[in-house]
Structures are given as structure tokens and as C-alpha cells.
Amino acid sequence: MVFEANIGAPINRDDLLEKLSANLSEKRFLHVQNVAATAKKLAEHWGYLAVEKAELAGLLHDYAKEETDETFKDLIHKYKLDPALLEWNNNIWHGVVGIYKIQEDFGITDPELLRAIEIHTIGSSEMGLLDKILYVADYIEDSRSFEGVETARSLAYEDLDAAVAYETLHTVLFLAQKQVQIYPQTIITYNAYVDKLRTKNRS
Ligand SMILES: [Fe+2]
Ligand SMILES: [Fe+2]
């Protein structure tokens, strides 16, 4: 079966699954399939019509996650990306830089699909429907079991912006508790969305 979504290159689903299983650990291969299934459900729930694109975003979002640091640094140089990125790590690189690896390996050019994958760990102050679907699906997929995941799952189907806010708040809290640096765009997302949670809590 071929994904029909207009994404710049036809992708055969079986070939993609084979490539993903070769590139990813068993656990992560299961994770991307779970994210794809959750993204599909959210797309159907929130009226995102390109359901296949949402599934594909789920399957591809962590494609670069197991690449080496050297690979990401090479891509940052090759595509003349912001040199400040060199100060970060795999958690940021696999999305923000990973989209260049995805373009190289799959010939995907669809800006909406690439954008959703680019910001899937950091969010943005300006998130489109696919961006939110992937961001939230990654957080609530079936194998996730952290404290608060049920709240996140409920919010995802009640108020997608509140789900984005909840996830971002908890990501910021988690990172601050570990006393590690927080990527500036994560803070920008937090500032943009935190009011949505407050509004939700009041109502
Ligand atoms: Fe990821
Ligand atoms: Fe993920």
C-alpha cells in the first residue's frame, strides 16, 4: 500500500515500516507505530482531513532519533543551520535537524509534514492542527504510562490547545526539576499556551 498523501514523494507503507524497523530499536519502532495510530485518531476527531499525513508524521517523527551526534553536527554544517544548535543534543536535534535526514532519505518535501516533525519536541507559538496532533500524540500514545498521562489523554480529545499547554507545562517542570537547560523555543511554546490551561481550569 502506498500513502496517497501528497507529500513530495510516494511512500510505500511496507517499505517504510521495513526501513523504520531497521533504523530503530524494537521499543522505538513500536512507539512510532503507536504515535501514528494516535495521530490518526486525533486527526479524525479534530477534523484534520489529511489523515494519512497525520499517520505518516507519526511513523516518521523519530526516524532520526538513533542517529549519532556526529551525523547531526554534519547536517547542521551541511545545511548551514543556526550554529547555536551545536550546543544542544539529540533531544532537540532529532526533530529540528532530523527533518533534513528525512528529506534526504525519503525525498519528502511537504512543508506541513516536515514542520510538524521539526517541532514535535519543542512546539511553537504558532502551531497548526497537524503540529498539535503530532505533538500531543507523541505524549499520550498507548505505551506512555507517566503520572498525568490520563489527564493528557482526556484533554487531547476535549481541548487540543489545553493538551498542548498541559504537555508543555509538564515538560518544562520535568526539565527544571532535573536542572537541565530548556531549549528557548520550548519556553516560547509554554508562554504562548499556558493561558489556555488557566482558562480551561477556570471553566
Ligand atoms: Fe521525538
Ligand atoms: Fe516520539
Side-chain angles (χ1 to χ4, degrees):
M1 183 199 154
V2 173
F3 280 97
E4 301 293 341
N6 180 19
I7 47 150
I11 293 190
N12 178 286
R13 185 188 284 261
D14 291 339
D15 291 348
L16 175 60
L17 290 175
E18 206 172 292
K19 198 158 185 176
L20 288 171
S21 79
N23 268 39
L24 302 175
S25 67
E26 210 172 307
K27 191 174 170 211
R28 187 157 288 113
F29 182 49
L30 181 64
H31 164 67
V32 298
Q33 291 177 86
N34 283 342
V35 174
T38 304
K40 181 173 189 256
K41 274 193 245 169
L42 287 171
E44 286 164 349
H45 183 83
W46 292 109
Y48 180 76
L49 297 179
V51 174
E52 281 200 338
K53 204 198 280 193
E55 270 191 277
L56 196 52
L59 287 174
L60 282 168
H61 81 285
D62 277 347
Y63 173 70
K65 180 82 180 174
E66 292 171 23
E67 296 293 339
T68 63
D69 289 359
E70 280 316 305
T71 299
F72 288 116
K73 287 177 185 172
D74 288 348
L75 287 165
I76 291 167
H77 293 302
K78 182 175 176 182
Y79 291 99
K80 299 188 169 46
L81 306 181
D82 183 353
L85 275 169
L86 293 166
E87 306 299 318
W88 292 89
N89 55 47
N90 180 285
N91 288 327
I92 304 304
W93 292 335
H94 80 278
V96 175
V97 185
I99 56 165
Y100 293 88
K101 182 87 181 121
I102 290 170
Q103 288 175 79
E104 286 185 356
D105 290 4
F106 296 98
I108 288 174
T109 56
D110 183 281
E112 189 188 24
L113 180 63
L114 293 170
R115 165 80 176 161
I117 295 172
E118 179 183 12
I119 64 169
H120 81 267
T121 60
I122 56 177
S124 163
S125 57
E126 302 285 336
M127 292 174 78
L129 186 50
L130 182 62
D131 299 334
K132 293 176 196 174
I133 286 170
L134 181 59
Y135 186 81
V136 170
D138 192 20
Y139 197 63
I140 64 163
E141 59 94 342
D142 287 359
S143 71
R144 300 288 198 199
S145 63
F146 53 88
E147 199 185 327
V149 71
E150 288 309 330
T151 304
R153 285 189 179 122
S154 302
L155 283 175
Y157 292 92
E158 289 164 16
D159 182 337
L160 196 54
D161 285 335
V164 169
Y166 185 86
E167 173 177 343
T168 309
L169 169 65
H170 286 267
T171 300
V172 167
L173 286 171
F174 174 75
L175 295 170
Q177 265 163 4
K178 283 209 303 181
Q179 298 187 31
V180 298
Q181 291 188 331
I182 300 176
Y183 193 64
Q185 194 168 316
T186 303
I187 301 292
I188 288 170
T189 308
Y190 171 77
N191 287 339
Y193 277 87
V194 68
D195 281 346
K196 317 242 182 208
L197 204 56
R198 203 178 298 136
T199 310
K200 176 82 188 164
N201 288 339
R202 268 204 305 266
S203 61

